[in-house]
Amino acid sequence: MATWWQSGAIYQVYPRSFQDSDGDGIGDLKGIEARLDHLVALGVDALWISPIFPSPMADFGYDVADYCDVDPRFGTLGDFDELLAAAHARGLKVLLDFVPNHSSSAHPWFRESRASRDNPKRDWYIWRDPAPDGGPPNNWISDFGGSAWEWDAVTGQYYYHAFLKEQPDLNWRNPALRAAMMDVLRFWFDRGVDGFRIDVLWHMVKHAQFPDNPPNPAYRPEMGGMHAVLQLHSTDQPEVHAIAAEMRRIADGYDGDRVLIGEIYLPVERLMHYYGREAPEVHLPFNFQLIEATWDARHLAALIDEYERALPPGGWPNWVLGNHDRPRIASRVGERQARVAAMLLLTLRGTPTIYYGDEIGLADVAIPRDRVQDPRELREPGLGLGRDPVRTPMPWNDSEHAGFTSGEPWLPLGPDWSTRNVAAQGGDEASMLALYRRLLHLRRKHAALAVGDFRLIEAEGDVLAFERRHGDERIVVALNLGAEPQPFALPEGDVLASTRGGTPKSGVLRGDEGVVFLARPA
């Protein structure tokens, strides 16, 4: 029997931008609780909340100063407990974002570590002597550009930070640090959390000897500084798998099918290792291929087939169209194809994750220079790497500030918020929101879509078609990835959903049309 995280769908909430309850322009936990009924009506099974822990917000919560509390901007531990109870009462699971690779430089652990070389917590972080020339220990580059090493004049060593200097990396080779972080998982599991998305899991262990990373022969400046070298020695080290396996043992020790989802940007063959080879690791290593894919039928068919074939025995697939770090699907492929993409996401075999706002077709929002918040954009301006455009407030209705806040939103709303909002689309059966609701309803109604087998039927021209089957139930999904009509012979049966509404023409997919079809038994 399938678990909830296999048959269900996950919805990512970026808490700063979902709903503000106190007028400070920043979303919070009470705001999320107030909007839970939207998630119920949408038809998702779980919400994953991006970091809510105390933080100086140098990287908007991914610089954690206390792993076992809630930042006052978002509320209190009591507010979280109330949100958790309200979600569970509605049949919704709640996942938190675990940030184990690095803490904030304001974390008490780092302050102790930085105090002296002989401090008991010195080895909880990664410290190295300078190179012979006095410079950084090696050529490793921060993902936000520049050297990944920061000089500390007080103790005469460099500390390592894969991201901002305000985000020093934890040393997972230290047993005491490792035990302390495992206790963080237990703290939240004990409160009733249903699982975690584990941030940058593949970064967590570094090569013990810290050799230089090799140069990237394909590097171009517009790619951003982090791509100047290949992260051969600073990520994806063999020792990380034992850590992931220990996290899995902790999760499996709780009832209720707790789930671990790993953020891992790696090629498919290396991604598969995080399911676990020696022992079970994360339940779902995030599969980001659709985020990065060329929107072409043959290319998509090939990557879907490669992914399915690569899965280890018992490994459950998953798919993602967007998240808080990458351009929104509506901006990547256009609004009409974003509907086709939604149908693809919600009918492929595996667990789908929906990024907040995609269900109403939100696009990237241009951020004026004086409103930029993202440290990545501030450090490497002009390269288009900033993440603010995909983190803008959720438009709920056409009232002032789109019903998101009674104050000034922390980021600007999109220009079409007065018409592109949840209330406007909620009563429109032709809307993007109606399409998402329909598709999620079909996943719950038809086992073939939720847990059925997958078989590719066609990838010719602009048409991508596949079959989902469970027992005697057979569903065909046909997607036209182009704007022009394409021939496709649908089997005898009933149309369950179309991205364009109405009844498809016999033997033809209209431009930008996707169809879910229930085939009659042979």
Side-chain angles (χ1 to χ4, degrees), residues 213-233:
N213 278 325
N216 180 0
Y219 173 68
R220 303 183 309 278
E222 61 268 24
M223 297 166 65
M226 66 172 285
H227 295 289
V229 298
L230 301 175
Q231 294 182 334
L232 180 65
H233 303 301

Side-chain angles (χ1 to χ4, degrees), residues 210-516:
F210 297 91
D212 278 356
N213 278 325
N216 180 0
Y219 173 68
R220 303 183 309 278
E222 61 268 24
M223 297 166 65
M226 66 172 285
H227 295 289
V229 298
L230 301 175
Q231 294 182 334
L232 180 65
H233 303 301
S234 51
T235 66
D236 195 30
Q237 298 301 295
E239 296 90 337
V240 75
H241 296 287
I243 295 169
E246 183 176 354
M247 292 178 178
R248 175 63 176 269
R249 288 194 295 274
I250 291 172
D252 287 349
Y254 289 82
D255 59 9
D257 289 321
R258 313 296 175 101
V259 67
L260 298 179
I261 305 171
E263 183 197 21
I264 307 157
Y265 282 94
L266 288 174
V268 168
E269 66 275 9
R270 291 161 65 191
L271 179 70
M272 294 300 149
H273 296 169
Y274 287 80
Y275 282 102
R277 291 180 291 182
E278 302 299 323
E281 297 180 29
V282 294
H283 301 82
L284 299 173
F286 257 147
N287 170 21
F288 296 117
Q289 291 184 94
L290 293 182
I291 289 181
E292 301 173 334
T294 302
W295 206 246
D296 169 84
R298 293 185 184 183
H299 176 75
L300 290 175
L303 74 81
I304 293 166
D305 182 65
E306 178 193 17
Y307 178 73
E308 282 277 356
R309 291 177 182 274
L311 286 164
W316 186 251
N318 70 94
W319 298 92
V320 182
L321 274 180
N323 61 28
H324 60 290
D325 289 330
R326 298 301 179 98
R328 286 190 179 271
I329 185 64
S331 291
R332 298 202 307 272
V333 301
E335 183 168 1
R336 289 189 174 186
Q337 279 295 311
R339 298 170 72 91
V340 177
M343 185 169 283
L344 177 65
L345 173 71
L346 298 176
T347 58
L348 283 170
R349 189 176 82 97
T351 305
T353 296
I354 300 165
Y355 185 49
Y356 87 97
D358 281 355
E359 76 269 31
I360 58 172
L362 284 191
D364 296 0
V365 176
I367 308 297
R369 174 54 52 187
D370 62 352
R371 296 290 303 275
V372 170
Q373 304 279 343
D374 184 16
R376 189 169 190 185
E377 174 67 17
L378 293 171
R379 284 179 63 120
E380 295 187 284
L383 297 181
L385 302 176
R387 300 163 297 175
D388 290 337
V390 308
R391 299 176 174 184
T392 54
M394 181 75 164
W396 294 101
N397 54 50
D398 63 359
S399 66
E400 187 177 15
H401 304 313
F404 165 71
T405 181
S406 60
E408 180 66 22
W410 78 287
L411 282 174
L413 291 155
D416 59 353
W417 66 266
S418 62
T419 55
R420 186 180 300 281
N421 59 65
V422 173
Q425 293 195 16
D428 180 2
E429 286 303 310
S431 69
M432 179 76 88
L433 180 57
L435 176 65
Y436 267 86
R437 287 174 173 172
R438 178 66 174 160
L439 291 169
L440 286 161
H441 169 74
L442 291 176
R443 284 180 58 88
R444 287 185 171 176
K445 183 177 180 180
H446 296 279
L449 287 178
V451 296
D453 296 335
F454 172 90
R455 182 177 71 87
L456 187 68
I457 296 175
E458 183 175 324
E460 292 293 332
D462 287 328
V463 175
L464 173 65
F466 51 88
E467 175 187 277
R468 301 295 309 281
R469 187 187 289 268
H470 186 268
D472 294 333
E473 185 177 62
R474 176 173 172 255
I475 289 178
V476 173
V477 180
L479 308 171
N480 184 353
L481 276 63
E484 299 300 322
Q486 296 290 328
F488 183 79
L490 286 168
E492 291 293 320
D494 302 308
V495 175
L496 300 178
S498 167
T499 61
R500 292 193 52 172
T503 303
K505 296 179 182 179
S506 177
V508 176
L509 285 175
R510 292 170 286 183
D512 304 309
E513 182 172 40
V515 178
V516 180

